[in-house]
Amino acid sequence: MNRISIRWLYHLVIWTILVTMMVCVDAITIKEDAGVYEEIIGLGIGLSMAFECFRYESMRMATWLWIGWLVYGLGNLFDVLDELVCSEKFKVLYLDTSLTIMGMVLISYGFLKQTVAGEKMIARLSGEVAANKSLRAKLYKDARLDELTQLGNRRACFERFSKLGLITHHLYYFDLDKFKQCNDTHGHRVGDKVLEIFGRNLSSMFGTQAAFRVGGDEFVALSKKEHDFRELAASLCVGIADYGVDVSIGSVEVKADANIDELLNRADGEMYKAKFRRQSRAC
């Protein structure tokens, strides 16, 4: 038998017994007193509500609530018995009103505890939601941030281009020359420092939202204006030239219907052309 059937069978049995009790009371009671029927109904309400509270696991934890309904029902039971037997022989029946009042107090206290517990749960859930939002925001940011330079990474570059492409006109591609030699000579700690310095210079020149690290020593920036390569390289190499590191720059024009993949490939090609010309002149 499933839980729904047990539930309704319980109520059916309880109220059948109570209705039978009403019939018996009507048959054996000499004086007419409509109050006894109200007390029997109160007894039924108490037993039914106590069962309803206890049958749910979450409500079962609200001990004061279902105990309150039981005490309330017990008070009504004593009230019914007080009409049927001599109270002088069973003085405990004089507690009927006290038990009924105590039951109502316990029920009220149970509801109060449930309300407070609900408010605490809502506060806890609100805190968890806020923490979850904060965590998601952090994860979202971390997934798009280069930890070393604090610039956007390749993913951020692709995502921001949809907006930046509408307000910028030039895309610049940067590759650090002799960076491997710097790492080999001075160690990776110095190499990381070079990347950090270059990242700060790039951010200062183009803004944090328009500068990106897209590879190991490769960077991208978008700008509204066209820059002179010599002046740009000189500004970006401040602080890293002492380590023998220089920069090669490639640039392409950004159009309204431009594709970021295509722009990066073209700018990368222009950067390698510039690198090859510089190496040829050095030879």
Side-chain angles (χ1 to χ4, degrees):
M1 185 179 294
N2 59 42
R3 292 181 64 186
I4 296 179
S5 299
I6 293 175
R7 174 190 182 189
W8 292 112
L9 179 61
Y10 170 85
H11 289 301
L12 179 62
V13 170
I14 288 296
W15 285 96
T16 299
I17 293 172
L18 294 175
V19 170
T20 303
M21 185 183 296
M22 288 183 187
V23 174
C24 293
V25 167
D26 185 61
I28 66 176
T29 302
I30 298 175
K31 59 179 182 178
E32 292 186 4
D33 185 3
V36 70
Y37 301 111
E38 296 175 354
E39 290 147 8
I40 292 175
I41 292 173
L43 170 61
I45 292 173
L47 293 175
S48 291
M49 290 303 298
F51 175 77
E52 287 296 324
C53 291
F54 189 76
R55 66 187 291 267
Y56 294 106
E57 185 175 351
S58 58
M59 294 295 289
R60 199 177 305 158
M61 300 301 292
T63 308
W64 294 109
L65 195 56
W66 61 266
I67 288 180
W69 281 112
L70 279 178
V71 173
Y72 175 78
L74 184 62
N76 280 280
L77 176 61
F78 278 23
D79 216 351
V80 173
L81 294 177
D82 186 34
E83 300 290 337
L84 303 178
V85 299
C86 179
S87 300
E88 294 297 328
K89 294 182 179 180
F90 302 96
K91 295 184 182 296
V92 70
L93 298 180
Y94 287 134
L95 296 174
D96 54 352
T97 302
S98 298
L99 286 172
T100 303
I101 294 173
M102 187 183 300
M104 295 305 298
V105 170
L106 291 175
I107 291 168
S108 300
Y109 180 65
F111 276 121
L112 177 63
K113 289 199 68 172
Q114 285 292 96
T115 301
V116 172
E119 290 177 350
K120 288 182 178 178
M121 180 177 291
I122 291 172
R124 180 174 60 81
L125 291 176
S126 297
E128 290 179 358
V129 168
N132 187 41
K133 286 183 178 179
S134 177
L135 177 60
R136 281 189 295 175
K138 183 179 184 303
L139 291 174
Y140 182 89
K141 180 181 178 181
D142 290 347
R144 290 154 180 81
L145 185 71
D146 177 63
E147 186 176 356
L148 181 62
T149 63
Q150 295 299 301
L151 296 177
N153 58 17
R154 190 177 186 87
R155 175 183 290 181
C157 177
F158 275 70
E159 290 183 354
R160 291 182 200 165
F161 181 76
S162 59
K163 292 183 179 179
L164 289 172
L166 300 176
I167 59 175
T168 57
H169 307 294
H170 299 278
L171 183 146
Y172 294 90
Y173 203 104
F174 307 92
D175 183 81
L176 298 184
D177 297 329
K178 300 179 183 179
F179 178 72
K180 184 178 183 304
Q181 291 91 320
C182 173
N183 261 336
D184 294 340
T185 303
H186 302 287
H188 290 287
R189 182 173 297 181
V190 171
D192 287 347
K193 183 179 179 181
V194 167
L195 292 173
E196 289 178 27
I197 294 172
F198 187 83
R200 286 199 299 270
N201 292 342
L202 196 67
S203 176
S204 176
M205 181 72 66
F206 295 94
T208 305
Q209 295 299 307
F212 309 91
R213 183 187 178 193
V214 295
D217 60 348
E218 297 179 346
F219 296 81
V220 167
L222 290 113
S223 176
K224 294 181 180 180
K225 65 178 183 178
E226 187 174 4
H227 294 269
D228 178 80
F229 282 11
R230 288 181 181 274
E231 294 178 0
L232 184 57
S235 298
L236 294 176
C237 289
V238 172
I240 67 173
D242 295 340
Y243 298 102
V245 179
D246 201 349
V247 62
S248 293
I249 306 173
S251 173
V252 293
E253 186 179 351
V254 178
K255 296 182 180 179
D257 58 347
N259 177 278
I260 183 62
D261 258 327
E262 181 184 345
L263 287 176
L264 289 177
N265 288 332
R266 286 171 50 203
D268 186 32
E270 293 297 320
M271 180 272 298
Y272 272 106
K273 289 179 184 178
K275 183 187 292 284
F276 180 74
R277 285 195 297 268
R278 294 178 63 202
Q279 290 173 349
S280 298
R281 287 196 296 269
C283 295

